Amino acid sequence: MSTLGGPAISRDSSLQCCIDVLDANSNPNNNSLRDIVNTSRPIYLQGTTFAGTGAGRYIRCDGTGAGSNLVGSRINIATTASQIDRFNINSNFSFVFLVYPEGTGRIFSTGSAGSGTTDNCIWQMWLAQSQFYWWNGGGGGTDNINSLTGVFFTTNAWNHITVTYAATGAVARVYLNGTQVGIQAGATNLVDRTAQTDLQWTLGGGYASSCFTENTASRFQQFLLYNKTLSASEVLQNFNAVRGRVNL
């Protein structure tokens, strides 16, 4: 699959979700979103706007609405009842983003978001400019047991970010624009949220502490989710498929 006539992204049965603002199958009326892989997957657009034209089209979360038990402006993407796209320490997975963060805070998280419009204070992992967190089951910021740190994106610019996790060795990696920029191995006792109801992927925000939500103004063009650990060559393939859109 490709847009703008460029090379194709890595696509096989491991691709669980594909949202792409520039693909007519994902954005059929140029003002909505659906998952190309699972067109019946619920996607909740909370306080978001579409802007830009042509290859510059994007959906923006404006960063507002942070607070206790609030969703605010962000995109909640439901997981499936089969739980094939819910991940724990024994799963291999990868997340891919083409994103323009306007701040350094959380641009992505996974956890429970109630009906898609409310928070339930059950979070699993999140990504900010300098941190990829995966929590244990205790809750609260001090209970984080796996913090991969680095510089994972540039603010006020387009970034292609890939987060991969390999269950063997519990190895998490972050790639920026096709190049690995962070790695951490050997995490233990990572929380398994797969049984949690209403588990969702959230673009534009995430859990901070004590049921307090942190949202970050950010623009998205593409979000991919795999139930495998992408190789370095696959990460580069995905980057090359879209880099021409935003001159990376």
Side-chain angles (χ1 to χ4, degrees), residues 79-98:
T79 58
T80 63
S82 69
Q83 301 189 0
I84 193 171
D85 51 5
R86 298 181 175 201
F87 307 120
N88 59 43
I89 190 172
N90 298 313
S91 305
N92 297 323
F93 62 82
S94 302
F95 300 102
V96 183
F97 315 85
L98 186 56

PDB file of all heavy atoms in Angstrom, residues 79-98:
ATOM      1  N   THR A  79      -9.248  -1.170  20.549  1.00  0.00           N
ATOM      2  CA  THR A  79      -8.692  -2.478  20.229  1.00  0.00           C
ATOM      3  C   THR A  79      -9.845  -3.438  19.941  1.00  0.00           C
ATOM      4  O   THR A  79     -11.007  -3.112  20.135  1.00  0.00           O
ATOM      5  CB  THR A  79      -7.841  -3.015  21.385  1.00  0.00           C
ATOM      6  OG1 THR A  79      -8.645  -3.095  22.568  1.00  0.00           O
ATOM      7  CG2 THR A  79      -6.656  -2.106  21.639  1.00  0.00           C
ATOM      8  N   THR A  80      -9.513  -4.632  19.478  1.00  0.00           N
ATOM      9  CA  THR A  80     -10.555  -5.572  19.067  1.00  0.00           C
ATOM     10  C   THR A  80     -10.905  -6.525  20.198  1.00  0.00           C
ATOM     11  O   THR A  80     -10.118  -6.760  21.115  1.00  0.00           O
ATOM     12  CB  THR A  80     -10.099  -6.399  17.858  1.00  0.00           C
ATOM     13  OG1 THR A  80      -8.958  -7.182  18.237  1.00  0.00           O
ATOM     14  CG2 THR A  80      -9.723  -5.495  16.696  1.00  0.00           C
ATOM     15  N   ALA A  81     -12.095  -7.097  20.105  1.00  0.00           N
ATOM     16  CA  ALA A  81     -12.549  -8.040  21.111  1.00  0.00           C
ATOM     17  C   ALA A  81     -11.665  -9.286  21.158  1.00  0.00           C
ATOM     18  O   ALA A  81     -11.515  -9.925  22.200  1.00  0.00           O
ATOM     19  CB  ALA A  81     -13.999  -8.430  20.844  1.00  0.00           C
ATOM     20  N   SER A  82     -11.062  -9.638  20.025  1.00  0.00           N
ATOM     21  CA  SER A  82     -10.203 -10.824  19.980  1.00  0.00           C
ATOM     22  C   SER A  82      -8.886 -10.617  20.715  1.00  0.00           C
ATOM     23  O   SER A  82      -8.160 -11.564  20.990  1.00  0.00           O
ATOM     24  CB  SER A  82      -9.895 -11.178  18.522  1.00  0.00           C
ATOM     25  OG  SER A  82      -9.062 -10.193  17.941  1.00  0.00           O
ATOM     26  N   GLN A  83      -8.569  -9.360  21.015  1.00  0.00           N
ATOM     27  CA  GLN A  83      -7.361  -8.976  21.748  1.00  0.00           C
ATOM     28  C   GLN A  83      -6.074  -9.256  20.983  1.00  0.00           C
ATOM     29  O   GLN A  83      -4.988  -9.200  21.551  1.00  0.00           O
ATOM     30  CB  GLN A  83      -7.302  -9.641  23.133  1.00  0.00           C
ATOM     31  CG  GLN A  83      -8.482  -9.285  24.008  1.00  0.00           C
ATOM     32  CD  GLN A  83      -8.333  -9.754  25.437  1.00  0.00           C
ATOM     33  OE1 GLN A  83      -7.332 -10.357  25.805  1.00  0.00           O
ATOM     34  NE2 GLN A  83      -9.314  -9.483  26.266  1.00  0.00           N
ATOM     35  N   ILE A  84      -6.165  -9.521  19.688  1.00  0.00           N
ATOM     36  CA  ILE A  84      -4.948  -9.769  18.919  1.00  0.00           C
ATOM     37  C   ILE A  84      -4.071  -8.524  18.848  1.00  0.00           C
ATOM     38  O   ILE A  84      -2.865  -8.602  18.635  1.00  0.00           O
ATOM     39  CB  ILE A  84      -5.292 -10.263  17.488  1.00  0.00           C
ATOM     40  CG1 ILE A  84      -4.039 -10.817  16.799  1.00  0.00           C
ATOM     41  CG2 ILE A  84      -5.941  -9.159  16.659  1.00  0.00           C
ATOM     42  CD1 ILE A  84      -4.323 -11.505  15.488  1.00  0.00           C
ATOM     43  N   ASP A  85      -4.688  -7.347  19.046  1.00  0.00           N
ATOM     44  CA  ASP A  85      -3.918  -6.113  19.000  1.00  0.00           C
ATOM     45  C   ASP A  85      -3.718  -5.513  20.395  1.00  0.00           C
ATOM     46  O   ASP A  85      -3.458  -4.335  20.555  1.00  0.00           O
ATOM     47  CB  ASP A  85      -4.585  -5.098  18.076  1.00  0.00           C
ATOM     48  CG  ASP A  85      -6.060  -4.888  18.394  1.00  0.00           C
ATOM     49  OD1 ASP A  85      -6.539  -5.455  19.386  1.00  0.00           O
ATOM     50  OD2 ASP A  85      -6.726  -4.154  17.645  1.00  0.00           O
ATOM     51  N   ARG A  86      -3.836  -6.359  21.438  1.00  0.00           N
ATOM     52  CA  ARG A  86      -3.517  -5.953  22.800  1.00  0.00           C
ATOM     53  C   ARG A  86      -2.217  -6.641  23.202  1.00  0.00           C
ATOM     54  O   ARG A  86      -2.066  -7.841  23.020  1.00  0.00           O
ATOM     55  CB  ARG A  86      -4.642  -6.342  23.762  1.00  0.00           C
ATOM     56  CG  ARG A  86      -5.959  -5.665  23.432  1.00  0.00           C
ATOM     57  CD  ARG A  86      -7.024  -6.076  24.427  1.00  0.00           C
ATOM     58  NE  ARG A  86      -8.258  -5.340  24.198  1.00  0.00           N
ATOM     59  CZ  ARG A  86      -9.197  -5.177  25.116  1.00  0.00           C
ATOM     60  NH1 ARG A  86      -9.041  -5.699  26.321  1.00  0.00           N
ATOM     61  NH2 ARG A  86     -10.283  -4.505  24.838  1.00  0.00           N
ATOM     62  N   PHE A  87      -1.281  -5.911  23.789  1.00  0.00           N
ATOM     63  CA  PHE A  87       0.062  -6.437  23.937  1.00  0.00           C
ATOM     64  C   PHE A  87       0.501  -6.476  25.396  1.00  0.00           C
ATOM     65  O   PHE A  87       0.173  -5.591  26.176  1.00  0.00           O
ATOM     66  CB  PHE A  87       1.040  -5.589  23.128  1.00  0.00           C
ATOM     67  CG  PHE A  87       0.626  -5.432  21.694  1.00  0.00           C
ATOM     68  CD1 PHE A  87       0.374  -4.195  21.157  1.00  0.00           C
ATOM     69  CD2 PHE A  87       0.451  -6.553  20.895  1.00  0.00           C
ATOM     70  CE1 PHE A  87      -0.030  -4.057  19.836  1.00  0.00           C
ATOM     71  CE2 PHE A  87       0.057  -6.428  19.576  1.00  0.00           C
ATOM     72  CZ  PHE A  87      -0.177  -5.173  19.046  1.00  0.00           C
ATOM     73  N   ASN A  88       1.280  -7.492  25.744  1.00  0.00           N
ATOM     74  CA  ASN A  88       1.853  -7.606  27.081  1.00  0.00           C
ATOM     75  C   ASN A  88       3.311  -8.023  26.963  1.00  0.00           C
ATOM     76  O   ASN A  88       3.870  -8.041  25.863  1.00  0.00           O
ATOM     77  CB  ASN A  88       1.036  -8.579  27.935  1.00  0.00           C
ATOM     78  CG  ASN A  88       0.981  -9.971  27.329  1.00  0.00           C
ATOM     79  OD1 ASN A  88       1.981 -10.496  26.855  1.00  0.00           O
ATOM     80  ND2 ASN A  88      -0.194 -10.577  27.345  1.00  0.00           N
ATOM     81  N   ILE A  89       3.914  -8.364  28.065  1.00  0.00           N
ATOM     82  CA  ILE A  89       5.347  -8.663  28.077  1.00  0.00           C
ATOM     83  C   ILE A  89       5.704  -9.848  27.195  1.00  0.00           C
ATOM     84  O   ILE A  89       6.829  -9.973  26.725  1.00  0.00           O
ATOM     85  CB  ILE A  89       5.831  -8.900  29.521  1.00  0.00           C
ATOM     86  CG1 ILE A  89       7.363  -8.954  29.560  1.00  0.00           C
ATOM     87  CG2 ILE A  89       5.203 -10.143  30.110  1.00  0.00           C
ATOM     88  CD1 ILE A  89       7.925  -8.989  30.960  1.00  0.00           C
ATOM     89  N   ASN A  90       4.754 -10.725  26.923  1.00  0.00           N
ATOM     90  CA  ASN A  90       5.018 -11.898  26.093  1.00  0.00           C
ATOM     91  C   ASN A  90       4.665 -11.683  24.629  1.00  0.00           C
ATOM     92  O   ASN A  90       4.673 -12.624  23.838  1.00  0.00           O
ATOM     93  CB  ASN A  90       4.243 -13.100  26.643  1.00  0.00           C
ATOM     94  CG  ASN A  90       4.675 -13.469  28.046  1.00  0.00           C
ATOM     95  OD1 ASN A  90       5.862 -13.554  28.313  1.00  0.00           O
ATOM     96  ND2 ASN A  90       3.725 -13.662  28.941  1.00  0.00           N
ATOM     97  N   SER A  91       4.331 -10.462  24.256  1.00  0.00           N
ATOM     98  CA  SER A  91       3.949 -10.126  22.883  1.00  0.00           C
ATOM     99  C   SER A  91       5.081  -9.395  22.175  1.00  0.00           C
ATOM    100  O   SER A  91       5.857  -8.671  22.798  1.00  0.00           O
ATOM    101  CB  SER A  91       2.717  -9.215  22.876  1.00  0.00           C
ATOM    102  OG  SER A  91       1.636  -9.767  23.586  1.00  0.00           O
ATOM    103  N   ASN A  92       5.140  -9.600  20.864  1.00  0.00           N
ATOM    104  CA  ASN A  92       5.964  -8.739  20.017  1.00  0.00           C
ATOM    105  C   ASN A  92       5.059  -7.689  19.387  1.00  0.00           C
ATOM    106  O   ASN A  92       3.951  -8.013  18.951  1.00  0.00           O
ATOM    107  CB  ASN A  92       6.653  -9.547  18.913  1.00  0.00           C
ATOM    108  CG  ASN A  92       7.621 -10.574  19.459  1.00  0.00           C
ATOM    109  OD1 ASN A  92       8.306 -10.334  20.441  1.00  0.00           O
ATOM    110  ND2 ASN A  92       7.674 -11.731  18.820  1.00  0.00           N
ATOM    111  N   PHE A  93       5.495  -6.451  19.341  1.00  0.00           N
ATOM    112  CA  PHE A  93       4.654  -5.419  18.735  1.00  0.00           C
ATOM    113  C   PHE A  93       5.498  -4.248  18.256  1.00  0.00           C
ATOM    114  O   PHE A  93       6.659  -4.087  18.641  1.00  0.00           O
ATOM    115  CB  PHE A  93       3.576  -4.936  19.708  1.00  0.00           C
ATOM    116  CG  PHE A  93       4.102  -4.286  20.972  1.00  0.00           C
ATOM    117  CD1 PHE A  93       4.492  -2.951  20.986  1.00  0.00           C
ATOM    118  CD2 PHE A  93       4.176  -5.011  22.143  1.00  0.00           C
ATOM    119  CE1 PHE A  93       4.954  -2.361  22.148  1.00  0.00           C
ATOM    120  CE2 PHE A  93       4.644  -4.423  23.324  1.00  0.00           C
ATOM    121  CZ  PHE A  93       5.037  -3.098  23.319  1.00  0.00           C
ATOM    122  N   SER A  94       4.878  -3.415  17.433  1.00  0.00           N
ATOM    123  CA  SER A  94       5.511  -2.192  16.940  1.00  0.00           C
ATOM    124  C   SER A  94       4.445  -1.141  16.695  1.00  0.00           C
ATOM    125  O   SER A  94       3.349  -1.460  16.221  1.00  0.00           O
ATOM    126  CB  SER A  94       6.271  -2.444  15.625  1.00  0.00           C
ATOM    127  OG  SER A  94       7.256  -3.443  15.764  1.00  0.00           O
ATOM    128  N   PHE A  95       4.758   0.102  17.022  1.00  0.00           N
ATOM    129  CA  PHE A  95       3.919   1.256  16.723  1.00  0.00           C
ATOM    130  C   PHE A  95       4.701   2.187  15.809  1.00  0.00           C
ATOM    131  O   PHE A  95       5.898   2.395  16.002  1.00  0.00           O
ATOM    132  CB  PHE A  95       3.552   2.021  17.994  1.00  0.00           C
ATOM    133  CG  PHE A  95       2.807   1.229  19.015  1.00  0.00           C
ATOM    134  CD1 PHE A  95       3.453   0.723  20.141  1.00  0.00           C
ATOM    135  CD2 PHE A  95       1.453   0.988  18.877  1.00  0.00           C
ATOM    136  CE1 PHE A  95       2.769   0.004  21.097  1.00  0.00           C
ATOM    137  CE2 PHE A  95       0.754   0.262  19.823  1.00  0.00           C
ATOM    138  CZ  PHE A  95       1.410  -0.233  20.939  1.00  0.00           C
ATOM    139  N   VAL A  96       4.013   2.785  14.833  1.00  0.00           N
ATOM    140  CA  VAL A  96       4.661   3.696  13.884  1.00  0.00           C
ATOM    141  C   VAL A  96       3.819   4.968  13.776  1.00  0.00           C
ATOM    142  O   VAL A  96       2.591   4.898  13.649  1.00  0.00           O
ATOM    143  CB  VAL A  96       4.804   3.041  12.490  1.00  0.00           C
ATOM    144  CG1 VAL A  96       5.548   3.980  11.539  1.00  0.00           C
ATOM    145  CG2 VAL A  96       5.511   1.689  12.583  1.00  0.00           C
ATOM    146  N   PHE A  97       4.479   6.114  13.785  1.00  0.00           N
ATOM    147  CA  PHE A  97       3.792   7.399  13.728  1.00  0.00           C
ATOM    148  C   PHE A  97       4.471   8.326  12.720  1.00  0.00           C
ATOM    149  O   PHE A  97       5.702   8.408  12.684  1.00  0.00           O
ATOM    150  CB  PHE A  97       3.844   8.128  15.084  1.00  0.00           C
ATOM    151  CG  PHE A  97       3.557   7.268  16.275  1.00  0.00           C
ATOM    152  CD1 PHE A  97       4.571   6.525  16.881  1.00  0.00           C
ATOM    153  CD2 PHE A  97       2.283   7.188  16.795  1.00  0.00           C
ATOM    154  CE1 PHE A  97       4.317   5.731  17.985  1.00  0.00           C
ATOM    155  CE2 PHE A  97       2.015   6.404  17.901  1.00  0.00           C
ATOM    156  CZ  PHE A  97       3.036   5.671  18.495  1.00  0.00           C
ATOM    157  N   LEU A  98       3.677   9.031  11.933  1.00  0.00           N
ATOM    158  CA  LEU A  98       4.149  10.196  11.194  1.00  0.00           C
ATOM    159  C   LEU A  98       3.465  11.378  11.861  1.00  0.00           C
ATOM    160  O   LEU A  98       2.253  11.578  11.716  1.00  0.00           O
ATOM    161  CB  LEU A  98       3.793  10.110   9.710  1.00  0.00           C
ATOM    162  CG  LEU A  98       4.355  11.219   8.809  1.00  0.00           C
ATOM    163  CD1 LEU A  98       5.879  11.307   8.908  1.00  0.00           C
ATOM    164  CD2 LEU A  98       3.925  11.023   7.359  1.00  0.00           C
TER     165      LEU A  98
END
